[in-house]
Each structure stands twice: as C-alpha cells, then as structure tokens.
Amino acid sequence: AVANISYDNWKRIEKLAYYGYGYKNRTSHKWYAITQYLIWINVDMEADIYFTDKVNGKKITKYEDEINQIMNDVNNHDIAPLFSTGLEINLGDEVRIDNFFEEFNIYENDFLWENSNNTLVIRDLKDDMVLEFYRISNYHDKDVVLFVSDEYQDLIRPGNVNEPKFEVPIKIKKGKIGLDIINNRDVYTVEASFDNTCYEIVGVIDKICTNEEMKYDTGDLKYGDYIIKQISNGIGYRKDTMEYKVTIDDSNTHPVLTLHNFLIRNDINLTKYACKDEICLLEEGAVFEVYDKDNNLVNSLKTDINGNANVTLGYGEYHISQIKGIENYSVVDDFSEKIVDEVSNHSKELFNYYIKTDLVKN
C-alpha cells in the first residue's frame, strides 16, 4: 500500500495522472480539474465528490466525454490490442499493423521491419514467430512521484508509468508440393530412355528433371493453387499434355502429385498361312523369333490353331525371323517392325509355300 492506498488503486491513480492533464492535447484548465476529480474519487471511493454549477452550488453532471476519454486510456493501458490475438499471413506476404508506432514499440529482434508512417511493416518471414512489443508510456521526462505528508496535502507528480508487454503470434501459411514421378515401363525396350523427363511448376520452378523414377519435394511455398505440367519427355514415352492443378491450404499443406510416364507400346500381330496348289490354310505351330536392334533375342512366338501369334513390345525396332514351319514348305523372309507410336497397325499376314520335289525313276 502507498499512503494507505492499495497497490492496485495506486497503479490506477498513476495512470490517471499520466493520461490526464498535460497528456498530448489535454492542456487546458478543464483537464486539470477533471484529472483532479478522477484522482480524488479513486483515493476516497466512499466520498461524494462532484462538480457544481458554481461555488457551493448544485451538483451537476459535467465533462462526461472528457472523463470517458481519460478512463478509456486508463482501462486500455494493460489490455492487449485486438491484433495480439494472432495474425496469419501467406509466405512472402508482409505483416502490416497500422498506427502501431503511435502506441507501441518492439523489443530487439532478428527480423526485417520498418516504420512506415506509424505502420509496422515486417518482411520476409519464413517461419512462425512471436512478435514481442510494449505500449509506449514515456510521454514525460520522469517517473511518477507521490508526496505524502501528515502536515501538508498529499501531492502527485505526473510521470511515466509501466510499459506492459504484449505478444502477437504470427503464423506463416506455407507448405510444399511433392512430385512422385513414375516410369511405367513394363514391356520390353532397349531404345527408350527416361532421360530429359522434365516438369515445370508454373511461375515457381522452371525445370524439375530426372532420368529415373523420383520422389521430389519443393521448398516452402505459400498457400494457393499451382499448375504442374510436363515440358519434355523421355525418348519412347508418351508426351503428357495434361496440366495438373495442386492446392496448398490448411487442409493439405503437403499435397503429393503422382506423375505417370507411359512407355510407347504396340502389338505385333502375325497371321500365318501355308499354301499348296493355290489353297492357303491357317498354319498352327509356326515359330518366329523376335530380336531387338542389338540382335538380342526378345521373344519366341508360336502360332495357335488359328494361325495367330502376337507380342506387345515397347518403343524401338524389332527384327523377326521364322525358325520353324511345316516340312517341305518355305519360310518367310526376315522382316522388321518399328514401334514409334500406339496407333499404327503392325499386323502381318505371312505365307509359306509348298516346295515341289521331282521324283527320280530307276
């Protein structure tokens, strides 16, 4: 207690003296009287203290607006401002708090900020943080002083009061995009290459390239919509012409997009006939071998009861040789098929012919 005044009440009186007469534009005589009135009713809360219309006159209501102004400043002194409940900004955006430097200042910090016409501007925040700041209460040159005496009137000299500390949690809205780049290569090829498989995140990353299956994560990105598209594809792979939209938001801060790269493939279909005396019948059991451009054996095909054989192969050129057929029948000449797309027709009708032999008589 100070001069028989409770600690809490004394702190309130300090603020009345600070925000009352002499504070900013409160310099006329009426502010002196209003401030004195407010201090008195707080010193002795049971006393009936009021304004009169003249000396020893009637009790009147006066200066209500002015009283409310001072009391509003006093009551709000230790109350955190509304923005201290927390701010959320997108990564890369500025924090802007208007009229900040009229009332507040910040503690030492390691982030970039400036005072722009009494607006606090914070830039380039990468991670969540807590802004620590305090209410500026240094309007006077000295601290408040109370003079207490049993022989004289107690006096108070207005001065600076405590500077309450506040905090603003700032959340940075950010996330990242994952790309799961898949090589769908489940049929034979030696000529296709996954090299130069590249994507773009429009406006963010010009090129993300790989020569094999890859899981990729971007760096931190702001909330929002992003477009991902393929800008080049490997030799022997379909060009992906789709544009994919990915959204980073509170519900998904790390969306993962699976990007399938499909190998160009096609079917080689053989239909085999055996011909004798101008009659051609479907031939079962004819055997063909398929080789790649490096002469590696890829597959062996045998015609069924309907004379059909087929194989699905990936991008490239293939050489086909018949190695077995009906005895005393010719075999077809070796031939090649080149798979460069998925729409061309690689169906072949193949004909073997009976070989006539002359009989020798003794």
Side-chain angles (χ1 to χ4, degrees), residues 176-334:
K176 58 183 62 178
I177 295 174
L179 301 182
D180 192 0
I181 302 173
I182 303 297
N183 179 356
N184 292 97
R185 179 174 177 156
D186 56 357
V187 294
Y188 186 89
T189 181
V190 294
E191 297 185 52
S193 170
F194 207 59
D195 290 353
N196 200 37
T197 300
C198 301
Y199 294 86
E200 173 190 11
I201 302 179
V202 178
V204 178
I205 301 176
D206 292 337
K207 265 191 176 184
I208 302 165
C209 297
T210 183
N211 61 0
E212 59 185 355
E213 290 194 348
M214 179 176 71
K215 294 184 182 296
Y216 173 88
D217 275 341
T218 66
D220 288 335
L221 299 173
K222 65 172 64 179
Y223 279 16
D225 297 328
Y226 296 87
I227 299 297
I228 292 97
K229 61 183 182 180
Q230 189 176 62
I231 56 176
S232 62
N233 55 295
I235 296 172
Y237 286 82
R238 301 179 197 165
K239 177 67 190 304
D240 189 351
T241 58
M242 291 284 293
E243 292 189 354
Y244 301 93
K245 178 182 174 182
V246 175
T247 300
I248 301 175
D249 56 22
D250 283 330
S251 65
N252 195 354
T253 59
H254 188 192
V256 177
L257 176 65
T258 300
L259 296 163
H260 290 279
N261 288 265
F262 292 97
L263 182 69
I264 291 173
R265 61 173 66 194
N266 210 328
D267 294 334
I268 297 175
N269 298 301
L270 307 180
T271 303
K272 181 68 177 61
Y273 294 89
C275 301
K276 182 179 181 182
D277 298 331
E278 298 183 356
I279 298 175
C280 294
L281 301 175
L282 293 168
E283 179 184 342
E284 180 184 4
V287 178
F288 296 84
E289 289 183 338
V290 182
Y291 295 86
D292 65 22
K293 72 176 185 66
D294 297 323
N295 207 34
N296 297 309
L297 178 62
V298 175
N299 211 323
S300 180
L301 307 179
K302 186 176 183 180
T303 58
D304 61 18
I305 193 172
N306 296 311
N308 295 324
N310 65 79
V311 62
T312 302
L313 296 171
Y315 177 88
E317 185 171 9
Y318 298 91
H319 308 287
I320 302 171
S321 296
Q322 182 179 3
I323 63 169
K324 184 179 179 182
I326 301 175
E327 188 176 354
N328 292 331
Y329 278 74
S330 65
V331 295
V332 299
D333 293 336
D334 292 354

Side-chain angles (χ1 to χ4, degrees), residues 54-218:
K54 61 182 178 179
V55 176
N56 297 322
K58 295 180 181 180
K59 181 178 180 180
I60 60 172
T61 300
K62 196 173 185 180
Y63 300 130
E64 285 189 340
D65 288 344
E66 291 85 346
I67 289 172
N68 288 335
Q69 288 180 41
I70 294 177
M71 293 309 301
N72 186 63
D73 288 339
V74 169
N75 293 331
N76 287 334
H77 182 81
D78 294 304
I79 296 177
L82 290 177
F83 59 77
S84 67
T85 57
L87 299 174
E88 289 189 359
I89 65 166
N90 222 339
L91 179 70
D93 290 352
E94 296 178 340
V95 176
R96 299 184 70 89
I97 304 176
D98 294 331
N99 302 319
F100 183 87
F101 289 99
E102 291 183 356
E103 295 186 60
F104 306 104
N105 209 337
I106 60 178
Y107 289 97
E108 291 184 7
N109 56 81
D110 56 1
F111 53 86
L112 298 176
W113 65 276
E114 68 176 52
N115 177 354
S116 177
N117 295 322
N118 277 325
T119 296
L120 174 63
V121 181
I122 302 175
R123 295 189 176 92
D124 297 330
L125 289 182
K126 302 294 190 299
D127 298 298
D128 295 350
M129 62 160 292
V130 176
L131 170 65
E132 295 183 331
F133 65 101
Y134 58 91
R135 189 183 298 280
I136 299 171
S137 303
N138 58 358
Y139 189 77
H140 299 284
D141 294 332
K142 300 178 181 179
D143 294 334
V144 64
V145 173
L146 175 65
F147 175 75
V148 180
S149 174
D150 293 334
E151 299 179 4
Y152 303 97
Q153 181 180 358
D154 296 341
L155 299 174
I156 185 171
R157 183 189 72 188
N160 298 325
V161 290
N162 71 301
E163 297 179 327
K165 175 182 176 181
F166 306 109
E167 294 181 343
V168 178
I170 300 176
K171 178 184 177 182
I172 308 300
K173 296 188 289 186
K174 64 180 181 179
K176 58 183 62 178
I177 295 174
L179 301 182
D180 192 0
I181 302 173
I182 303 297
N183 179 356
N184 292 97
R185 179 174 177 156
D186 56 357
V187 294
Y188 186 89
T189 181
V190 294
E191 297 185 52
S193 170
F194 207 59
D195 290 353
N196 200 37
T197 300
C198 301
Y199 294 86
E200 173 190 11
I201 302 179
V202 178
V204 178
I205 301 176
D206 292 337
K207 265 191 176 184
I208 302 165
C209 297
T210 183
N211 61 0
E212 59 185 355
E213 290 194 348
M214 179 176 71
K215 294 184 182 296
Y216 173 88
D217 275 341
T218 66

